[in-house]
């Protein structure tokens, strides 16, 4: 049986970063992953350019049963620490929007950097390896795998969540947590497009490809970014963001005129161009294709502006500014960027990510119940949680 100080299961963002930190402290570290090709999510992230952190990352950008849990790790290993590392490796990057930092060239540079950090410190990496059994021993843990048996003092579970099974996602981490008696909170897909009920889809599917500036609101949380109509439903950053706050059966309220006083503008047009049709007036603010469909969908009367009496123009503006939609569901883990829920943070130390009841057992990254917004926050959690565990394993 080969012995290591630390075994990390999962060679994703959190696992590789933690392994490098631990090995740089002189620990003998083995990383195991069941995937043929590692770093799949890193390579796919940010449209191939990896949105590796966010300049404004703060605890408020994370969802968790315990919103305070992420504070310690985020403050001990910050976005600026990771940005400094990226700069050390001469990886060129830029801010796309809202503090989101992307590689100029390719996400490959981030994966290469993580592998180089591991390599430099002597981390051993084996994949594809199937971990068949994990047991507690007197001094730590023993593992039975498709590559033989191993033991270690510290076992770090960095196997991520359930999103994108074709990139190697599995419930492994939740099963290990349950095996050792840790509570696992229900999981669901987050940062995921909405699907629509047939009556909405039959009209809105025609808009596939149309993108609008909007706010999306649910549970008093609101995001102002773009929404995108797709042939299956609704996507785009504002929709992905709000999907993490949405529960099945609930409504989402969209304001399709978040920066413009639509009523004021329509009233002005009514005075200046009374014979203009509503559709022509709306085409000033929206793509023509959208206006045609929206008039049918919101059951508006496409008549000259002068014929809108009393509160009728208010009702038009309201239709666009307070569009209440009940999504049918989400596209689920097949396309979700993250998994909400997971290993209950009440079971873990916020300083080290170690289990409170099973000494030597650690959970880092997405497998636990800490989920970031869209925009580099999830990688920052992988780095911060991986780093703090890496100092003590
Ligand atoms: P991650 O999922 O990265 O790694 C888990 C590893 O464990 C994988 O290598 C997997 O193969 C392995 N594993 C799983 N089960 C196993 C088992 N049974 N045995 C052995 N190994 C096992 N975030 C962000 O901040 N910016 C971005 O730009 C994006 N973009 C993005 C795009 C897409 C398409 C997705 C799906 C996700 C993102 N994300 C993102 C989210 C981000 O990728 C995610 O939160 C982190 O990768 C989580 O890092 P972890 O290391 O925790 O898990």
């Amino acid at each position: 049986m080969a012995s290591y100080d630390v075994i990390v299961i999962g060679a994703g963002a959190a696992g590789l970063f933690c392994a490098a930190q631990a090995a740089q402290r002189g620990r003998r570290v083995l990383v195991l992953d069941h995937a043929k090709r590692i770093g799949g999510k890193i390579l796919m992230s940010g449209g191939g350019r990896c949105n590796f952190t966010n300049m404004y990352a703060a605890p408020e950008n994370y969802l968790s049963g315990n919103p305070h849990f992420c504070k310690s790790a985020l403050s001990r290993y910050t976005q600026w620490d990771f940005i400094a590392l990226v700069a050390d490796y001469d990886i060129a990057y830029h801010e796309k929007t809202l503090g989101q930092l992307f590689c100029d060239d390719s996400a490959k540079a981030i994966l290469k950097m993580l592998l180089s950090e591991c390599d430099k410190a002597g981390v051993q990496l084996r994949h594809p390896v199937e971990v068949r059994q994990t047991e507690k021993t007197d001094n730590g843990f023993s593992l039975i795998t498709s590559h033989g048996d191993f033991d270690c003092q510290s076992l770090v579970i960095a196997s991520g969540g359930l999103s994108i099974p074709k990139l190697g996602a599995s419930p492994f981490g939740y099963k290990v947590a349950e095996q050792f008696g840790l509570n696992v909170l229900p999981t669901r897909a987050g940062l995921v497009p909405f699907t629509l009920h047939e009556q909405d889809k039959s009209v809105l599917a025609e808009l596939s490809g149309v993108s609008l500036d909007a706010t999306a609101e649910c549970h008093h949380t609101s995001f102002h970014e773009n929404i995108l109509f797709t042939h299956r439903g609704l996507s785009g950053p504002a929709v992905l963001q709000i999907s993490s706050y949405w529960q099945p059966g609930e409504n989402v309220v969209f304001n399709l005129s978040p920066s413009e006083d639509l009523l004021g503008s329509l009233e002005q047009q009514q005075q200046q161009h009374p014979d203009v049709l509503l559709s022509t007036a709306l085409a000033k603010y929206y793509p023509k294709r959208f206006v045609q469909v929206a008039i049918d969908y919101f059951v508006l009367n496409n008549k000259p502006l002068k014929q809108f009496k009393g509160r009728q123009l208010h009702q038009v503006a309201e239709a666009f500014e307070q569009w209440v939609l009940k999504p049918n569901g989400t596209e689920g883990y097949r396309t979700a960027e993250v998994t909400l829920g997971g290993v209950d943070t009440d079971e873990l130390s916020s300083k080290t990510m170690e289990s409170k009841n099973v000494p030597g057992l650690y959970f880092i990254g997405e497998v636990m119940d800490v989920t970031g917004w869209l925009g580099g926050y999830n990688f920052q959690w992988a780095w911060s949680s991986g780093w703090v565990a890496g100092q003590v394993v």
Side-chain angles (χ1 to χ4, degrees):
M1 177 166 328
S3 287
Y4 289 86
D5 296 326
V6 182
I7 294 182
V8 178
I9 301 179
L16 290 174
F17 199 56
C18 175
Q21 296 304 320
Q24 283 165 20
R25 289 174 36 241
R27 304 287 278 163
R28 283 169 305 128
V29 183
L30 173 68
V31 181
L32 301 173
D33 200 296
H34 69 168
K36 244 190 187 152
R37 194 169 155 251
I38 58 156
K41 275 196 193 163
I42 297 172
L43 295 176
M44 201 178 173
S45 67
R49 292 221 159 107
C50 188
N51 176 195
F52 55 81
T53 191
N54 192 297
M55 293 199 293
Y56 308 119
E60 300 75 66
N61 309 117
Y62 293 85
L63 291 88
S64 171
N66 176 1
H68 303 291
F69 181 85
C70 62
K71 287 181 177 170
S72 173
L74 288 174
S75 69
R76 287 176 57 215
Y77 190 84
T78 71
Q79 57 271 46
W80 304 109
D81 295 318
F82 194 77
I83 292 166
L85 180 65
V86 167
D88 277 352
Y89 274 78
D90 286 329
I91 299 171
Y93 63 89
H94 61 277
E95 179 190 2
K96 198 169 167 195
T97 174
L98 303 169
Q100 301 167 6
L101 301 187
F102 285 75
C103 297
D104 284 358
D105 296 325
S106 162
K108 282 182 195 158
I110 298 292
L111 181 59
K112 213 171 142 199
M113 177 186 86
L114 294 172
L115 291 172
S116 160
E117 285 285 286
C118 284
D119 201 39
K120 218 161 73 175
V123 171
Q124 286 188 37
L125 172 59
R126 295 197 193 187
H127 69 99
V129 177
E130 187 197 339
V131 180
R132 294 181 179 144
Q133 210 176 308
T134 49
E135 296 289 346
K136 184 92 186 81
T137 60
D138 290 343
N139 304 320
F141 299 85
S142 68
L143 271 63
I144 298 176
T145 80
S146 56
H147 274 212
D149 301 348
F150 302 99
D151 66 20
C152 59
Q153 289 168 7
S154 299
L155 179 61
V156 182
I157 307 300
S159 53
L162 297 171
S163 36
I164 322 263
K166 71 169 197 273
L167 289 182
S170 84
F172 179 85
Y174 311 132
K175 288 190 178 152
V176 172
E178 281 164 355
Q179 179 196 338
F180 287 105
L182 278 73
N183 187 37
V184 177
L185 295 171
T187 55
R188 65 194 167 88
L191 300 182
V192 63
F194 285 135
T195 56
L196 302 178
H197 288 287
E198 198 45 47
Q199 73 265 24
D200 295 314
K201 190 175 156 190
S202 58
V203 187
L204 299 175
E206 252 187 78
L207 294 174
S208 180
V210 170
S211 164
L212 299 176
D213 180 38
T215 59
E217 189 195 329
C218 189
H219 291 286
H220 308 291
T221 301
S222 154
F223 292 93
H224 181 175
E225 289 186 64
N226 276 1
I227 64 167
L228 172 71
F229 293 88
T230 70
H231 59 280
R232 276 191 293 267
L234 270 184
S235 187
V239 167
L240 300 185
Q241 298 280 32
I242 209 66
S243 72
S244 295
Y245 290 80
W246 177 83
Q247 298 279 354
E250 294 179 341
N251 290 331
V252 177
V253 182
F254 293 95
N255 180 349
L256 304 179
S257 180
S259 313
E260 181 93 37
D261 171 12
L262 188 60
L263 177 61
S265 307
L266 287 174
E267 282 173 342
Q268 200 183 8
Q269 287 204 66
Q270 191 182 38
Q271 283 185 357
Q272 292 169 353
H273 311 286
D275 293 320
V276 149
L277 285 176
L278 176 66
S279 55
T280 312
L282 287 169
K284 245 184 107 176
Y285 316 107
Y286 300 111
K288 270 204 185 114
R289 192 147 72 97
F290 173 73
V291 170
Q292 297 304 331
V293 173
I295 283 182
D296 288 345
Y297 180 75
F298 293 134
V299 200
L300 303 174
N301 199 340
N302 190 20
K303 55 190 180 184
L305 291 177
K306 67 182 176 198
Q307 292 179 20
F308 284 83
K309 306 284 182 210
R311 286 190 49 79
Q312 284 181 334
L313 269 189
H314 283 79
Q315 283 156 3
V316 171
E318 250 173 52
F320 289 88
E321 288 175 349
Q322 285 175 52
W323 173 29
V324 180
L325 178 77
K326 190 185 293 248
N328 186 20
T330 71
E331 288 187 5
Y333 294 119
R334 191 179 58 81
T335 59
E337 282 203 12
V338 285
T339 303
L340 292 144
V343 178
D344 191 341
T345 55
D346 283 353
E347 302 279 2
L348 307 173
S349 154
S350 62
K351 302 223 159 26
T352 61
M353 308 296 140
E354 186 177 18
S355 159
K356 288 177 183 166
N357 295 322
V358 187
L361 179 63
Y362 296 77
F363 291 84
I364 58 172
E366 198 181 312
V367 70
M368 71 173 84
D369 174 36
V370 175
T371 308
W373 288 1
L374 184 79
Y377 300 99
N378 285 296
F379 278 135
Q380 186 56 44
W381 178 245
W383 317 135
S384 295
S385 60
W387 188 89
V388 296
Q391 309 311 305
V392 292
V393 287

